[in-house]
Amino acid sequence: MDLTLIGKDKFIETLVSQKKPWHDNYLAMYSSVWKGYVADPALMLVPADDHLVHRGDGVFDVIRCAHGRLYQMEAHVSRLKRSAEAVSLGFPAEFSRLNELIETLVVKGGQKDCLVRVMLSRGPGSFTVNPFDCPSSQLYINVIRYHRLPARYYERGASLITSKIPVKKSFFATVKSCNYLPNVLMRMEAVLASSDYAVALDEKGRLAEGATENIGVMSMDGYLKFPGFERTLAGITVRRVAELADSLVRDGTIRGTKFTSISPAEAYQASEIIIMGTSINVVPVTKYDGKKIGTGLPGPVFSKLSELMEKDIRENENLLTNLDWGRGGLSP
């Protein structure tokens, strides 16, 4: 077989000419490899020998920018640090000004409603499994256009199935690593089953988490229950939802909140089920494994929590980071 050797000029020419439909969502990318940012989606690349690519050796987090302000950025950055430390991943020099880089890159992206994906990788170095082959870790930040879920998810509710994909072991479940193969397979499973979401079970047959979502169950005893964080990722959104639910205790809507074990059987009997995540806020589940949940329509707990979350994202000055939308570009 004859192969054509591609030079730098032809490589760049080919890249920039291959615009894909999804590129419209890619607003900006910063890379510590380049010490700068790009706005052309075709240039948003990671070296093939970065351990992030061929081993999933890296950690990440996702931050929401809503109405031009970053929501819960400090909580997401703190979790990113914990994940990196858990897998002995060092911080590149640029990490010391991570917040500034995020803020500036979002402004450069030009959209006041977007998602910020921050990745720390072991870095390029070799194609082996040995992490010590990588001289230094790297930082990649992508700003992506935010798309709210279609209205039907919030108006009629989502469907959920129990996943057959084995749940991650405790250590890996609690680290937000870039090794997301089980999560990908869960999402595939849901799509093939014509379901909106899937939820994994732990070895004891208790609810764990979705592919990228935490789950909450409004039980028959009046408590809003969430799976504990021993076998699930400590979601930033679910933590905030649990805090906001205190007002539902005060007004008598619920008796309280609990982080505890939940069986599918208990979930089938729930008056409401909700799922939560950075990009979806709170979504009601009205069908689980083909069974109608509650009345089959979004319930009062979802409605109140959704309103509280929306208000929190707009008005909670303690959790919002203002951005300078007149600021200039990134410096090296």
Side-chain angles (χ1 to χ4, degrees), residues 149-281:
L149 287 175
R152 68 97 173 165
Y153 283 82
Y154 303 97
E155 295 170 357
R156 301 197 300 271
S159 58
L160 179 72
I161 60 169
T162 298
S163 174
K164 296 181 176 63
I165 304 301
V167 70
K168 295 177 182 177
K169 295 295 183 180
S170 182
F171 174 80
F172 294 104
T174 57
V175 174
K176 198 169 178 66
S177 80
C178 294
N179 190 336
Y180 254 45
L181 181 58
N183 311 66
V184 170
L185 295 178
M186 284 178 64
R187 181 59 183 155
M188 180 186 295
E189 191 178 29
V191 171
L192 292 177
S194 299
S195 179
D196 297 311
Y197 298 96
V199 61
L201 303 181
D202 65 19
E203 291 86 351
K204 296 180 179 180
R206 305 293 175 163
L207 298 184
E209 59 189 348
T212 57
E213 309 83 26
N214 289 103
I215 188 169
V217 172
M218 190 63 215
S219 65
M220 298 288 285
D221 61 5
Y223 284 89
L224 178 57
K225 298 180 179 180
F226 311 97
F229 294 144
E230 300 83 13
R231 298 306 307 277
T232 66
L233 185 69
I236 304 300
T237 302
V238 69
R239 284 186 184 274
R240 188 61 188 144
V241 166
E243 294 168 354
L244 292 172
D246 286 345
S247 66
L248 275 62
V249 178
R250 293 192 294 271
D251 70 14
T253 302
I254 65 175
R255 291 180 62 188
T257 59
K258 293 181 179 179
F259 285 84
T260 184
S261 62
I262 309 166
S263 68
E266 183 176 3
Y268 296 150
Q269 298 300 315
S271 58
E272 295 185 51
I273 295 177
I274 57 175
I275 55 174
M276 299 142 283
T278 297
S279 62
I280 62 174
N281 281 355

Side-chain angles (χ1 to χ4, degrees), residues 64-70 111-114 146 309-315 320-323 325:
R64 171 102 180 263
C65 180
H67 315 292
R69 300 200 285 179
L70 293 161
Q111 294 293 320
K112 294 188 176 182
D113 290 285
C114 59
Y146 175 73
M309 278 295 296
E310 291 291 346
K311 182 177 180 180
D312 208 50
I313 290 172
R314 290 194 310 270
E315 302 177 9
L320 291 165
T321 301
N322 293 315
L323 303 179
W325 287 92

Side-chain angles (χ1 to χ4, degrees), residues 12-267:
I12 296 297
E13 178 187 339
T14 303
L15 277 182
V16 299
S17 66
Q18 293 182 346
K19 185 173 176 62
K20 306 298 182 182
W22 53 85
H23 281 175
D24 289 339
N25 295 318
Y26 300 171
L27 304 173
M29 177 180 178
Y30 175 86
S31 169
S32 58
V33 175
W34 318 317
K35 310 298 183 186
Y37 81 102
V38 294
D40 186 338
L43 302 179
M44 296 179 184
L45 305 176
V46 175
D49 65 339
D50 193 313
H51 265 220
L52 180 72
V53 177
H54 61 88
R55 303 294 172 182
D57 187 6
V59 297
F60 79 103
D61 224 295
V62 182
I63 305 166
R64 171 102 180 263
C65 180
H67 315 292
R69 300 200 285 179
L70 293 161
Y71 181 60
Q72 297 203 90
M73 179 168 70
E74 292 300 333
H76 285 281
V77 170
S78 294
R79 184 172 64 180
L80 180 69
K81 291 178 180 177
R82 292 195 300 272
S83 293
E85 290 166 352
V87 296
S88 302
L89 180 58
F91 300 106
E94 292 84 356
F95 197 82
S96 64
R97 59 184 186 121
L98 176 61
N99 289 19
E100 179 190 356
L101 288 170
I102 291 171
E103 294 168 23
T104 306
L105 195 65
V106 168
V107 172
K108 281 299 179 184
Q111 294 293 320
K112 294 188 176 182
D113 290 285
C114 59
L115 296 174
V116 186
R117 300 185 64 85
V118 184
M119 294 178 285
L120 280 172
S121 81
R122 193 77 61 181
S126 76
F127 283 104
T128 74
V129 75
N130 187 354
F132 298 105
D133 285 350
C134 306
S136 63
S137 56
Q138 300 295 332
L139 171 66
Y140 305 108
I141 309 171
N142 287 85
V143 179
I144 304 167
R145 195 183 305 273
Y146 175 73
H147 292 286
R148 184 180 174 86
L149 287 175
R152 68 97 173 165
Y153 283 82
Y154 303 97
E155 295 170 357
R156 301 197 300 271
S159 58
L160 179 72
I161 60 169
T162 298
S163 174
K164 296 181 176 63
I165 304 301
V167 70
K168 295 177 182 177
K169 295 295 183 180
S170 182
F171 174 80
F172 294 104
T174 57
V175 174
K176 198 169 178 66
S177 80
C178 294
N179 190 336
Y180 254 45
L181 181 58
N183 311 66
V184 170
L185 295 178
M186 284 178 64
R187 181 59 183 155
M188 180 186 295
E189 191 178 29
V191 171
L192 292 177
S194 299
S195 179
D196 297 311
Y197 298 96
V199 61
L201 303 181
D202 65 19
E203 291 86 351
K204 296 180 179 180
R206 305 293 175 163
L207 298 184
E209 59 189 348
T212 57
E213 309 83 26
N214 289 103
I215 188 169
V217 172
M218 190 63 215
S219 65
M220 298 288 285
D221 61 5
Y223 284 89
L224 178 57
K225 298 180 179 180
F226 311 97
F229 294 144
E230 300 83 13
R231 298 306 307 277
T232 66
L233 185 69
I236 304 300
T237 302
V238 69
R239 284 186 184 274
R240 188 61 188 144
V241 166
E243 294 168 354
L244 292 172
D246 286 345
S247 66
L248 275 62
V249 178
R250 293 192 294 271
D251 70 14
T253 302
I254 65 175
R255 291 180 62 188
T257 59
K258 293 181 179 179
F259 285 84
T260 184
S261 62
I262 309 166
S263 68
E266 183 176 3

